[in-house]
Amino acid sequence: MMKSIIKYFSNFIYRTFTVRIICRKYHITNYTINLDGSIDVYSSVKLSHMNLINIPLKFRKVSGNFLCNNNKLTSLEGSPKEVSMQFNCSNNRLTSLEGSPIECGDFYCCNNKLISLEGGPLKVNGNFDCTNNKLISLEGAPKYFGHFEHRKNNFISKRALWSITTGGQSKFLHKIIKYQDDYSIWNADNTLNEYRFNDMIVEIKEDLGYV
């Protein structure tokens, strides 16, 4: 028993020492180290433009911004579970949002290689921006968000997303994405034409035998 206790505390001390070295390297200050080796940071974390291929620490909570944009990340493993302000992972090489925070202020994942929003945050209190990706599905979109930023190639606006996710249309997402241009559901300013959108939903339901 005593040997196990000594080994546990030895590992913890070594892990703590390693975490402190990494924090010093990336100018992370005002933090505490948790028993599992993760850290809570009481200010912003800025890891942008550092040519990173992975997140160098395991974060739990960040009381500020968490910026890891403009790197070469292929995974968000190690990202904090909660960010009080902005989480920005734009301009990386991400194909998945697995590892994202559960909740954050703003969420930016622009200019990646995402094909869906699976693994993304559940709650975004501010802006959710997923422009310039390769989305073929909106599965995994946050259950709550303040503002949904879109461009046409990312398929859908906040109002359309709200209609789909709360109006029972989520099972038609693949059809909506496929036929959005055929039904011209987007206005010239990229806002949703609800009249044509509703027509499309009726047609889809008829084709699938729901009416």
Side-chain angles (χ1 to χ4, degrees):
M1 176 66 73
M2 183 58 68
K3 288 183 178 179
S4 297
I5 294 174
I6 292 173
K7 182 178 180 180
Y8 173 82
F9 279 103
S10 296
N11 289 339
F12 178 74
I13 291 170
Y14 175 76
R15 189 164 60 236
T16 299
F17 178 73
T18 303
V19 168
R20 292 191 184 282
I21 290 175
I22 297 173
C23 285
R24 189 178 301 117
K25 176 180 178 181
Y26 292 103
H27 308 288
I28 298 170
T29 59
N30 195 17
Y31 61 89
T32 57
I33 302 174
N34 303 305
L35 290 176
D36 63 354
S38 66
I39 64 172
D40 295 334
V41 185
Y42 306 102
S43 58
S44 292
V45 175
K46 300 177 182 178
L47 301 173
S48 307
H49 302 277
M50 291 188 176
N51 212 33
L52 298 176
I53 59 174
N54 54 50
I55 293 173
L57 288 163
K58 181 180 178 182
F59 295 87
R60 187 175 72 173
K61 182 177 180 180
V62 172
S63 301
N65 297 313
F66 187 89
L67 310 177
C68 58
N69 53 291
N70 294 88
N71 284 296
K72 298 178 181 179
L73 299 178
T74 58
S75 169
L76 292 177
E77 183 179 358
S79 295
K81 300 301 181 185
E82 182 179 343
V83 179
S84 63
M85 297 177 70
Q86 177 190 137
F87 181 92
N88 192 338
C89 60
S90 299
N91 297 296
N92 277 291
R93 299 174 181 177
L94 300 172
T95 57
S96 169
L97 290 178
E98 292 291 339
S100 295
I102 296 173
E103 180 177 354
C104 59
D106 299 310
F107 186 88
Y108 297 95
C109 57
C110 318
N111 300 308
N112 278 289
K113 300 178 180 180
L114 302 172
I115 59 173
S116 83
L117 300 176
E118 291 283 358
L122 297 178
K123 185 176 182 181
V124 176
N125 296 306
N127 295 320
F128 182 89
D129 191 340
C130 58
T131 56
N132 291 333
N133 278 287
K134 299 180 179 180
L135 296 176
I136 59 174
S137 171
L138 289 175
E139 294 295 336
K143 302 298 182 184
Y144 175 88
F145 51 88
H147 177 72
F148 192 89
E149 193 69 32
H150 72 92
R151 294 178 187 172
K152 187 174 180 180
N153 64 327
N154 272 340
F155 305 124
I156 208 146
S157 69
K158 175 182 176 180
R159 295 178 70 180
L161 180 62
W162 180 259
S163 174
I164 291 168
T165 56
T166 64
Q169 317 291 8
S170 58
K171 56 184 172 291
F172 306 132
L173 277 176
H174 64 295
K175 292 287 187 179
I176 291 169
I177 291 169
K178 182 176 180 179
Y179 295 118
Q180 58 177 331
D181 290 330
D182 293 343
Y183 284 86
S184 301
I185 67 172
W186 299 106
N187 297 316
D189 61 355
N190 278 346
T191 58
L192 180 71
N193 186 303
E194 293 190 37
Y195 179 80
R196 291 197 289 265
F197 176 77
N198 289 331
D199 278 350
M200 181 179 65
I201 292 298
V202 170
E203 294 273 352
I204 289 173
K205 287 182 176 180
E206 288 178 351
D207 287 345
L208 295 177
Y210 282 87
V211 293

